Every structure is written in C-alpha cells, then in structure tokens.
Amino acid sequence: MATTGHYFYNRTSLGEEGEIMAETLIGKSVGRIEGVAKATGRALYPADISFPGMLYGKAKRIPVASARLVRVDVAPALKIPGVVAALTARDVPGHNGHGVLIPHMPVLAGERVRSVNDVVAVVAAEDEATAEEACRAIEVEYEPLPAVFDPLEAMKPGAPLIHGDSNILYHIKIRRGDVEAGRRASAVIVSNTYRTPMLDHAFLQPEAAVARVDERGHIEIHVATQYPHWDRTEVARSLGVPQDRVRIVTSTVGGAFGGREDMTLQILAALLASHTRRPVKMINSREESFYSHSKRHPMIMKYTTGADREGRLTFVEAEIVGDSGAYASWSPNVLRKAAVHATGPYYVPNVKIDAYAVYTNNPFTGAMRGFGATQPPIAYEGQMDLLAAELGIHPFTIRWRNILRQGSVTATGQVLERSVGLEACLLAAAMAAGWDVEKLK
C-alpha cells in the first residue's frame, strides 16, 4: 500500500493500460492522525523538548543587506557570566554553506553579508536571556556595499553583483508555433504588466531545534522539518562528519507550507552542541523567524496576448522575472514551474515564454504552496478578462472557447490523454453563478 496526496492505492491494482485503480478520499471525512494531540496540547514540538544540562542558543545578525565584514569580535560576549560558547565562521569545521540546490548560503557569514538572512555569529549560554545579552555584546565592524533590491535593476549591466559575474541565476525558454503569425492572425491584442508581492508563510510555530551529542558521539537534532533526509546531508556536510553520525528526529510540525524545506536552526544548534558537548536549544522569536526562512517569490510578469474575433487565443508572449533574493534555494525549480504554467489551462497555438530567476539583496525566496504555479494566474486570467472586454464577449465565453480538453496539447507539448476535468468544472461554476451557459458558450 502506498500513499500519494489524497489517495491510497494498491500498486498491484494497476489496469492493463497502467491506470491506477484509486480509492479517492476526497469528499470524505478523514481524521488527522495528529489532530487530537494538537487540539489537547499533548503534541510535542521542538521547543517543548529539554535535556539535563541544556544550553540556549541565539544567532547574531547585522542590520544591513550588503556589506563586507571587517571584524566579528565575540570576546566581549564570552566575558558575560553564563556564556559558554560564541562561534564565528572560523569555527565551522566543514563546508560553510547550505542550500537545497546550491550550498552557498553561509552557516556563519565570514567575509560578506548578502542579505538580512545572514548570521555572523552564534552563542550558547546557560539561559535564553544571557544568550540574548551575549549577542548584543558581540562587536561587528562592517563596510556597507552597494545593494540592489529590484530584480529588473539587478539584470542590468553594472548592477551590484550578488554572486559571480551575473545576477541571472536561471533562464528558461518555452517556444511553440510562430508568435509573429499569431500576432498577424489576431483581431485584438492586449498587453499588461502584473506584479505579485513577496509573502511569508507565517506558520503558527516559529522555528526551534534541540541538538545534542548522544552516548555514541552522534549528533541528534530534534526539529520540525519537511526534509529530514536532506537536513542530515546538510548538517553532516557543515560539521564535516559522515552522514551516519547525524540523526534528525522530526517532531510535530506546527505549519510549514514549504517554509521548512531550507535550513534555519538545524546546523547552528548542531554546531553549538558539537562545540560545547552539551545539549543546545534554539527557538526563534517571530521576528527571527521572518529573518530565518524563505519567502514566496515576488514576480514581475509582462504579458502580451492575442485573440481572433471569435475569442480564440492566437498567441501568448510573456516574460516572467522572479526575485530569488540573495540565495538560490528552489528558485530554478519555482521559475521553471511558473514558465510551464504561464499559459494557464488554455490552448495557445503560438507561445513565447521567458522566465528568469534573479539574485538581489532581498531575503531569499523558495518553496511555498503552489511552487511557482500560483503567481501566473494573476497575469493570464487578467489577460483573459481584458481580451473579453475588448471583444465585447462574456468572461465565461472566452474561457469556454479556449480551455484545455482531453486530447489538447499544452504549450510544452504535453498531450492531455486523461483526467481533464476543466470543462465540467467551468460549467458547474457558471451554473452556480446563475449564468445561462448555453447562450454564453
């Protein structure tokens, strides 16, 4: 028996053509496994876990998004009674970087700060208040550097560079048919630019992690994570130890939505525990949580769309620019999905799509519900409404005449052979709205 999304199915029940004989749970009342424990307060989150002799950790950041670090002096922090450790980039024994695609976000920034996400030092103390005092005592000298916060500006020659010799992290092209032919066949053409903002997941449970060195000398980390196997890889790489000496224990998760796929406190807590040989707990405040995890990609979407006099789409030309912030996280994958979904659930014979992921000095962006498929509907549905208004037809009509149906071919060449429910969905929605669908088709 295996699970996928809302389905349970038995792999031995595949039909002759490979169709899954699924028992759907949609529409049924299904109890959440962890629901009772969460509702009664018995669920155990990382912040609830304690060990004898445990220390408390805190991270130090600086209030600028682009700077060259001149000096990070932890000596004043170490003079405070109760402070056990204060670590900088020099104390990272393995690779000083993490990231799901490119491991270039520093565990502890050593020479350069590229965003307000960056941590420059981390401390461990006998209690949380002392750890916070120690962070304030750390002296950081830095030289502010030019920064760029607009991805369109970041793409221009001469813009401050975040990594390497270009701020363009990723570019995908989708081409289908002949856009110029589609333009000539159009009765109406509409153009517009759509912008979507950066969003935070704002899960109820801010990040927390408890790390310790167990009786075998292995690192054990209790954390609410979406990616325990990859956490283990990243922690081991940064600590410079084999993966089989790292154990990730996933506790109850108080919301994630993609925001717990990147590292936040895991490596920092493990580094402190490894250094002090004592258990270490780290808990983010809500403000620290905003600094720690990824955000939803803001996107700038320039669309030009044409249709003939009957309202059938003739072409779509679009440029989508996603702000990656200072680090890659999942940006190439997110912008790839945005490009694939750029024409929406509509058949378009001629397509030209360019999607870019661009580095800036903004907070880094990554996974969030929809994973790049949620921003383009703002643009392509806006275009459909504009075209309908230009043609003087109902918004339902233009959609009905262009939706993908069984046998349709998408902009990327995929033939939709089965499970295409949009026609029935659109009809049901129109009838629920009280529209006379037979007249509007």
Side-chain angles (χ1 to χ4, degrees):
M1 181 72 76
T3 64
T4 174
H6 294 290
Y7 294 96
F8 291 84
Y9 61 89
N10 188 326
R11 292 187 185 280
T12 60
S13 67
L14 292 175
E16 291 184 358
E17 297 181 357
E19 185 175 1
I20 296 173
M21 308 299 287
E23 178 191 357
T24 179
L25 298 180
I26 294 174
K28 296 181 180 179
S29 179
V30 179
R32 294 181 66 100
I33 293 173
E34 81 284 21
V36 173
K38 284 184 172 178
T40 59
R42 287 188 288 105
L44 200 62
Y45 297 89
D48 302 319
I49 296 170
S50 295
F51 290 98
M54 191 171 69
L55 301 171
Y56 293 82
K58 277 291 174 184
K60 171 78 174 182
R61 294 180 172 86
I62 62 173
V64 297
S66 181
R68 183 177 69 85
L69 289 174
V70 178
R71 181 175 63 93
V72 180
D73 187 358
V74 298
L78 290 169
K79 294 177 181 175
I80 297 173
V83 175
V84 178
L87 308 179
T88 66
R90 295 189 297 273
D91 300 302
V92 179
H95 176 67
N96 187 6
H98 57 84
V100 286
L101 295 179
I102 303 174
H104 62 170
M105 184 171 180
V107 176
L108 293 171
E111 298 178 353
R112 171 86 188 270
V113 165
R114 294 180 172 85
S115 84
V116 294
N117 304 118
D118 291 352
V119 177
V120 299
V122 63
V123 302
E126 298 290 349
D127 58 75
E128 195 166 7
T130 303
E132 291 173 351
E133 182 184 357
C135 275
R136 290 191 294 270
I138 294 172
E139 296 176 359
V140 183
E141 183 181 347
Y142 56 87
E143 174 191 347
L145 296 175
V148 60
F149 301 101
D150 182 327
L152 297 182
E153 293 297 319
M155 295 172 74
K156 294 178 179 177
L161 294 173
I162 316 302
H163 300 278
D165 57 4
S166 172
N167 288 327
I168 298 176
L169 162 64
Y170 176 76
H171 177 200
I172 181 173
K173 303 177 182 178
I174 294 177
R175 304 287 188 265
R176 178 174 178 79
D178 183 344
V179 165
E180 292 308 314
R183 198 184 296 272
R184 291 192 295 273
S186 300
V188 293
I189 296 174
V190 296
S191 298
N192 211 343
T193 299
Y194 303 84
R195 292 174 179 261
T196 59
M198 177 178 287
L199 293 175
D200 191 276
H201 309 71
F203 30 69
L204 286 178
Q205 174 211 6
E207 298 87 347
V210 181
R212 71 181 187 114
V213 180
D214 71 12
E215 298 74 12
R216 302 171 296 169
H218 294 185
I219 298 291
E220 178 182 282
I221 305 167
H222 299 258
V223 63
T225 178
Q226 293 179 258
Y227 239 164
H229 61 289
W230 190 247
D231 287 9
R232 188 173 73 151
T233 298
E234 301 240 51
V235 170
R237 185 167 56 202
S238 293
L239 265 57
V241 300
Q243 289 194 35
D244 60 7
R245 296 178 67 85
V246 176
R247 180 178 179 230
I248 305 294
V249 182
T250 304
S251 67
T252 305
V253 178
F257 325 122
R260 298 187 196 272
E261 294 193 14
D262 297 276
M263 292 286 101
T264 54
L265 298 177
Q266 294 93 318
I267 300 175
L268 297 176
L271 187 63
L272 287 171
S274 178
H275 187 82
T276 63
R277 313 304 284 182
R278 291 173 63 178
V280 176
K281 177 187 288 189
M282 297 187 73
I283 305 173
N284 272 342
S285 65
R286 178 61 64 185
E287 182 178 358
E288 289 171 323
S289 178
F290 285 142
Y291 285 121
S292 290
H293 62 255
S294 66
K295 307 287 182 279
R296 185 191 289 285
H297 289 73
M299 291 190 187
I300 302 167
M301 299 172 284
K302 298 178 181 177
Y303 267 68
T304 299
T305 312
D308 64 18
R309 294 194 181 281
E310 299 301 315
R312 291 187 169 78
L313 296 174
T314 49
F315 79 96
V316 169
E317 183 172 9
E319 179 188 86
I320 302 175
V321 177
D323 185 350
S324 300
Y327 300 103
S329 182
W330 285 115
S331 289
N333 302 42
V334 170
L335 268 297
R336 180 167 59 245
K337 181 162 284 190
V340 168
H341 288 269
T343 53
Y346 304 113
Y347 173 72
V348 188
N350 304 296
V351 175
K352 180 183 179 187
I353 308 292
D354 288 272
Y356 300 87
V358 180
Y359 288 126
T360 67
N361 291 107
N362 286 319
F364 78 107
T365 50
M368 192 171 181
R369 285 273 169 89
F371 208 75
T374 51
Q375 294 94 327
I378 301 295
Y380 63 69
E381 295 296 354
Q383 292 293 93
M384 296 298 274
D385 287 340
L386 290 176
L387 287 170
E390 288 287 325
L391 291 165
I393 61 177
H394 196 277
F396 171 87
T397 303
I398 194 168
R399 289 173 170 82
W400 180 257
R401 291 176 181 174
N402 291 284
I403 55 172
L404 296 170
R405 295 174 167 86
Q406 188 162 326
S408 296
V409 181
T410 70
T412 55
Q414 180 185 2
V415 179
L416 302 180
E417 297 177 344
R418 62 172 66 87
S419 187
V420 186
L422 183 55
E423 187 174 292
C425 180
L426 197 57
L427 279 176
M431 288 189 285
W435 296 340
D436 187 344
V437 295
E438 293 306 319
K439 289 185 178 178
L440 293 176
K441 284 183 181 176

